[in-house]
Amino acid sequence: MQPILFILGLASILSPSFYSHENFELTVDRKLSSSNCTMGYLIANGKSICYTLELPWKDNLNNISCIPIGTYKGILRYDKKDGWRIQLDNVPNRTGVQIHMGNYTTQIEGCVLVGTDAKVENCSVLNSSAAYVKLKEAFYGTNNPNSTPNKKITVTFK
């Protein structure tokens, strides 16, 4: 290999644009708040991937309120029934807040559910497992990951 080509190739590998996906940034863009639920969109690295469903705002009370507006660090968990989920750190006065599968507010204790379709009239999201696959693919960059990338996860609630 020519020395100049090696240097150019090394420069492209070390450039910040090569590692453009070392952070995984999620945004929950809330669009509807009612006395029954909170609904919106989940955006992964700038791309809308699915709908979200949360409980209504009830002063951040544990297990009955949606998550306060803000940005939180996310960590991966592999110990639940679904084998993979994102848990939020440092949600004020809360623990165990996660993004996971489900369709109805009765399946939430302060977490976020995802779905590929939403029904506003009954506060539900549909096809949650398909939305979950999209979330995992957005994180791993593939639907067949063979390792877990070292990414900083942040989740912003608007």
Side-chain angles (χ1 to χ4, degrees):
M1 177 181 272
Q2 298 290 336
I4 191 72
L5 291 176
F6 176 76
I7 291 169
L8 289 174
L10 186 60
S12 69
I13 290 172
L14 297 177
S15 75
S17 63
F18 183 81
Y19 291 107
S20 63
H21 297 290
E22 63 184 36
N23 293 330
F24 188 60
E25 298 173 358
L26 293 174
T27 301
V28 176
D29 190 7
R30 295 168 170 155
K31 296 297 182 186
L32 169 75
S33 268
S34 74
S35 60
N36 297 319
C37 67
T38 303
M39 300 180 85
Y41 300 100
L42 184 64
I43 301 164
N45 290 332
K47 181 181 176 191
S48 182
I49 60 170
C50 61
Y51 293 94
T52 61
L53 176 66
E54 299 174 79
L55 293 171
W57 176 251
K58 292 192 178 176
D59 296 321
N60 195 33
L61 293 173
N62 209 11
N63 296 330
I64 63 169
S65 179
C66 65
I67 299 150
I69 291 170
T71 299
Y72 307 96
K73 177 185 174 195
I75 59 170
L76 296 180
R77 290 194 58 179
Y78 299 97
D79 60 330
K80 296 291 186 176
K81 181 178 160 185
D82 54 26
W84 186 92
R85 58 177 64 185
I86 296 172
Q87 180 168 308
L88 309 179
D89 270 352
N90 299 318
V91 176
N93 304 313
R94 309 269 287 275
T95 60
V97 177
Q98 301 166 8
I99 300 172
H100 61 82
M101 288 187 279
N103 302 100
Y104 307 100
T105 55
T106 56
Q107 298 169 307
I108 311 173
E109 294 180 351
C111 297
V112 180
L113 302 181
V114 294
T116 60
D117 197 8
K119 298 292 182 192
V120 173
E121 61 276 3
N122 70 347
C123 285
S124 65
V125 290
L126 306 174
N127 304 314
S128 190
S129 59
Y132 216 54
V133 167
K134 290 173 82 171
L135 175 59
K136 288 171 74 172
E137 285 178 0
F139 178 78
Y140 290 104
T142 179
N143 60 1
N144 278 328
N146 57 15
S147 66
T148 299
N150 185 18
K151 294 183 178 186
K152 177 183 170 190
I153 302 169
T154 57
V155 185
T156 300
F157 290 81
K158 295 184 174 184

